[in-house]
Amino acid sequence: MCGIIGIVGARPVAPLLLDGLRRLEYRGYDSAGMASLVDGYIERRRAEGKIARLAERLDLEPLGGVTGIGHTRWATHGRPTEVNAHPHMNGRLALVHNGIIENHRELREELEAIGYRFETETDTETVVHLVGHNLDQGMEPAQAVSQALHRLEGAFAFAMIFAGHHNLMIGARRGSPLAVGYGDESELYLGSDALALAPLTNRICYLEEGDWVVLQDGKAQIYDADHEPVERPVVQSALSGAAIGKGNFRHFMQKEIHEQPSVIGDTLHTYVNLQTREVTLPELPVDLATLPRLTISACGTAYYAGFVAKYWLEQIARLPVELDIASEFRYREAPMPERGAAMFISQSGETIDTLAALRYARDQKQSILSVVNQPESAIARESDLVLPTLAGPEIGVASTKAFTTQLTVLACFSLATACARGAIDAATEARLTTALTEVPAAITQVLEHTQMLEEIAQEFVAVHDVLYLGRGSMFPLALEGALKLKEISYIHAEGYAAGELKHGPIALIDEHVPIVVAAPSGPLFDKLASNVQETIARGGRVIIFSDKAGLERVGEGAAHMVEMPELDPFVAPILYAVPMQLLAYYTAVAKGTDVDQPRNLAKSVTVE
């Protein structure tokens, strides 16, 4: 959600900014722009829509200078137009902003009353004029920014440049991530995402909450929330500066679906001893054997991964689990047990609602665990223990490989917890870890036989509603399957626990509503098969995913029966996620939607 890149350098800045913005496209955006210092003055180029349109603008109107800022905007205040695109500027400074200024209306009224005129509908322009007003009062840039920060309420990450100061840039963060990059030959960088800086440097300093920084003369001076000079550690980023491409695939999402056998295998190698069939975790800040309760909180797809983990931890490890949507968790003000632990799941590690939930749990004296794909992220840095996924960069907005590697980590954590609590013996642990190691090969088998899914997707093009059903740990997967279809094909879809069908949703069923059923054979299969027959009896078009034994038992009447590899029911949520992803993907392709960057969505949600 929005992206920032800033460069104080010695090379032409526009091509570097443009490359950085391209690497931020995956975050989701609806306009883009950049500004640079040219002969002491600020010049700006902006464009509504994709970065390709900004590139076309730059071809017609090149932008000079060696110091500049760039931005991809995801609209909050004001429509996604060129006028509202960042950078925003007046004659004295230009600024890019991620986040939301909550008191912008009061500030705007105050500034308008003393003569400042606003050109946009955005909250960001308020900050431009607030800093500009301080400059007009004779303050130097650093003082003008410092004074302005005191007045702001809300979440933000800023990068600013100033007319007449060719090698100066100021950044600040509160609630939104921002990092400083250190390059060669005294070049300095700001980025909302280390991925944007990866081609430029791997030496990164992550600003902490409330920090602001002055980049000048090859040095970065950081100040804390109290405006006192501080030092923050510089780390070596593991992100590659290599170009991120789709290879031979049509979309990033398709590529990332096909990467799942590899990245799940990499993740398993981190947590499972393949010779002894034992799960090994890093040293934990809690005693799993006596832990009274685990609270899991996340958003979107990561929440559904946590939902699956709730089934695993309660059934296999006998550990009580409280599950919450992160955006609701802290407002519920839930009491939390002494010596308890809380786990937070996030692909980006920067999800603002999840980060806020983490801080609530910290205030409640919980031990903090996190499952993230970015070990250098804010959530990771504020956790007592990080359980990393090894998905690698995920560019498609709709999460695929991050989800299945989250499930893989959570499955390993569940087994380790079960062993620590004496809930399973060594033989059961070996059986279930063996099942985990069989998942990559089974997914490969699914990926080699996708023709039926493409054909089913063609039938989905004309439908307006789809239901997804599952029981047990497949219920969260039904929710995730419905989310995937909604995200990228814009078809209304809902996931339900199959037993709830007769409590309302069955009224929706007719020949125009497909019903997708995830039904691996296992203890709950016969009950789910009965739900399927109820649906078929009312004219529903059922698409059932099951293994050979399950398909033989479900009987006749389904519109489509998709055979899945036979695996232990414990690992079925990981395996069955893949055909759900593929069905959504092929439907979106058939409809001609923007698969990798669906409308109104952002990869990293950094505002509430």
Side-chain angles (χ1 to χ4, degrees):
M1 177 175 288
C2 298
I4 288 173
I5 181 169
I7 300 173
V8 182
R11 295 174 285 172
V13 75
L16 302 176
L17 292 174
L18 193 63
D19 181 62
L21 293 179
R22 287 187 174 121
R23 297 174 72 88
L24 291 169
E25 280 194 289
Y26 76 98
R27 294 173 69 97
Y29 69 104
D30 42 50
S31 60
M34 63 176 68
S36 67
L37 287 164
V38 181
D39 297 328
Y41 297 94
I42 299 171
E43 292 194 12
R44 176 178 62 178
R45 307 288 184 268
R46 299 179 295 174
E48 180 182 339
K50 298 301 183 183
I51 288 172
R53 294 188 63 180
L54 177 62
E56 292 171 359
R57 177 81 179 272
L58 289 166
D59 286 340
L60 296 173
E61 302 175 65
L63 190 65
V66 297
T67 294
I69 50 178
H71 190 261
T72 54
R73 177 182 186 243
W74 189 83
T76 54
H77 296 78
R79 295 167 296 164
T81 62
E82 181 177 331
V83 170
N84 288 328
H86 296 215
H88 293 296
M89 59 182 286
N90 56 24
R92 306 199 64 170
L93 75 146
L95 176 150
V96 292
H97 166 218
N98 292 353
I100 293 176
I101 306 302
E102 293 176 355
N103 62 332
H104 74 99
R105 294 188 186 278
E106 302 95 300
L107 293 172
R108 184 177 185 132
E109 290 174 0
E110 177 184 321
L111 290 161
E112 286 178 329
I114 58 176
Y116 289 91
R117 298 182 62 184
F118 285 73
E119 298 177 351
T120 78
E121 305 168 78
T122 69
D123 56 333
T124 304
E125 191 181 4
T126 303
V127 186
V128 173
H129 291 310
L130 183 62
V131 176
H133 174 64
N134 292 341
L135 292 172
D136 291 340
Q137 302 307 302
M139 298 182 193
E140 290 298 313
Q143 184 185 9
V145 172
S146 174
Q147 293 296 316
L149 294 177
H150 284 299
R151 302 290 313 279
L152 302 179
E153 298 173 9
F156 54 75
F158 296 125
M160 311 177 200
I161 56 175
F162 300 84
H165 298 268
H166 75 278
N167 64 348
L168 170 67
M169 184 175 298
I170 297 179
R173 66 147 296 188
R174 185 193 301 162
S176 284
L178 192 67
V180 179
Y182 296 83
D184 297 330
E185 299 181 2
S186 299
E187 283 196 340
L188 293 168
Y189 318 105
L190 283 177
S192 55
D193 189 322
L195 191 63
L197 303 182
L200 302 169
T201 183
N202 64 354
R203 297 176 60 233
I204 302 291
C205 172
Y206 293 94
L207 298 183
E208 297 186 7
E209 184 70 0
D211 282 355
W212 60 286
V213 61
V214 178
L215 310 182
Q216 191 169 26
D217 298 328
K219 298 178 182 178
Q221 177 59 65
I222 300 172
Y223 300 87
D224 64 15
D226 296 322
H227 301 266
E228 295 294 328
V230 291
E231 292 186 5
R232 303 296 187 206
V234 178
V235 300
Q236 295 285 326
S237 172
L239 290 172
S240 169
I244 297 174
K246 293 188 283 283
N248 294 323
F249 294 96
R250 184 174 176 180
H251 299 97
F252 280 110
M253 183 178 179
Q254 183 186 26
K255 172 177 176 280
E256 288 155 8
I257 290 172
H258 282 260
E259 287 175 343
Q260 288 175 114
S262 175
V263 296
I264 290 172
D266 291 342
T267 302
L268 286 171
H269 277 87
T270 301
Y271 295 98
V272 176
N273 185 319
L274 298 179
Q275 292 184 334
T276 64
R277 293 296 192 263
E278 294 176 333
V279 174
T280 57
L281 297 179
E283 184 175 349
L284 293 164
V286 293
D287 182 0
L288 294 176
T290 60
L291 185 65
R293 189 178 80 193
L294 178 67
T295 299
I296 298 177
S297 190
C299 300
T301 288
Y303 171 78
Y304 297 140
F307 200 167
V308 173
K310 177 179 171 69
Y311 279 91
W312 285 336
L313 287 163
E314 292 188 337
Q315 290 178 343
I316 299 170
R318 309 307 298 161
L319 173 64
V321 174
E322 183 96 1
L323 177 71
D324 257 297
I325 296 170
S327 58
E328 291 294 325
F329 171 61
R330 65 184 170 124
Y331 299 113
R332 192 162 60 82
E333 299 182 359
M336 305 185 78
E338 292 185 12
R339 303 183 308 281
M343 174 181 282
F344 302 91
I345 309 168
S346 170
Q347 183 279 139
S348 69
E350 304 288 356
T351 310
I352 192 66
D353 287 314
T354 307
L355 188 56
L358 181 156
R359 290 168 179 162
Y360 175 85
R362 172 76 72 196
D363 291 341
Q364 298 292 305
K365 297 180 170 51
Q366 303 295 289
S367 295
I368 305 299
L369 316 178
S370 63
V371 178
V372 297
N373 195 40
Q374 302 291 344
E376 300 153 344
S377 62
I379 289 175
R381 297 197 306 276
E382 296 190 28
S383 298
D384 298 316
L385 174 72
V386 179
L387 297 172
T389 60
L390 279 78
E394 187 180 66
I395 306 303
V397 166
S399 184
T400 53
K401 63 177 181 173
F403 176 64
T404 51
T405 52
Q406 286 167 355
L407 289 177
T408 302
V409 170
L410 292 166
C412 292
F413 178 79
S414 300
L415 292 179
T417 304
C419 290
R421 299 174 76 86
I424 60 174
D425 57 21
T428 303
E429 180 188 17
R431 175 175 62 82
L432 295 179
T433 53
T434 297
L436 275 171
T437 63
E438 293 170 348
V439 170
I443 291 176
T444 299
Q445 187 177 339
V446 171
L447 293 172
E448 289 174 349
H449 300 88
T450 62
Q451 183 177 351
M452 179 177 284
L453 294 173
E454 293 186 64
E455 293 171 356
I456 296 170
Q458 291 294 330
E459 298 178 14
F460 276 36
V461 170
V463 305
H464 298 287
D465 303 278
V466 181
L467 299 183
Y468 285 71
L469 303 180
R471 293 195 84 127
S473 62
M474 303 307 286
F475 166 41
L477 201 66
L479 295 168
E480 167 61 11
L483 176 63
K484 281 290 157 289
L485 192 71
K486 283 183 280 195
E487 283 181 309
I488 62 172
S489 74
Y490 316 144
I491 295 172
H492 173 250
E494 297 294 336
Y496 286 97
E500 284 293 292
L501 192 66
K502 62 178 68 69
H503 295 283
I506 201 167
L508 298 172
I509 292 173
D510 60 26
E511 66 275 14
H512 304 296
V513 179
I515 299 96
V516 179
V517 184
S521 59
L524 297 176
F525 183 85
D526 288 337
K527 292 185 182 298
L528 184 55
S530 297
N531 301 137
V532 170
Q533 291 304 324
E534 293 169 352
T535 303
I536 292 172
R538 287 157 178 81
R541 293 167 51 200
V542 171
I543 298 96
I544 184 165
F545 294 81
S546 188
D547 48 58
K548 183 177 181 181
L551 294 180
E552 289 175 351
R553 289 163 60 189
V554 77
E556 299 180 353
H560 297 283
M561 303 175 76
V562 182
E563 184 173 337
M564 297 288 291
E566 187 171 351
L567 286 180
D568 191 289
F570 170 62
V571 299
I574 310 175
L575 174 63
Y576 280 63
V578 177
M580 300 298 171
Q581 295 166 358
L582 288 166
L583 182 59
Y585 171 75
Y586 287 125
T587 302
V589 170
K591 290 193 68 178
T593 63
D594 190 338
V595 173
D596 288 331
Q597 296 172 28
R599 68 188 183 200
N600 301 331
L601 294 182
K603 185 66 174 174
S604 179
V605 181
T606 55
V607 296
E608 289 193 63

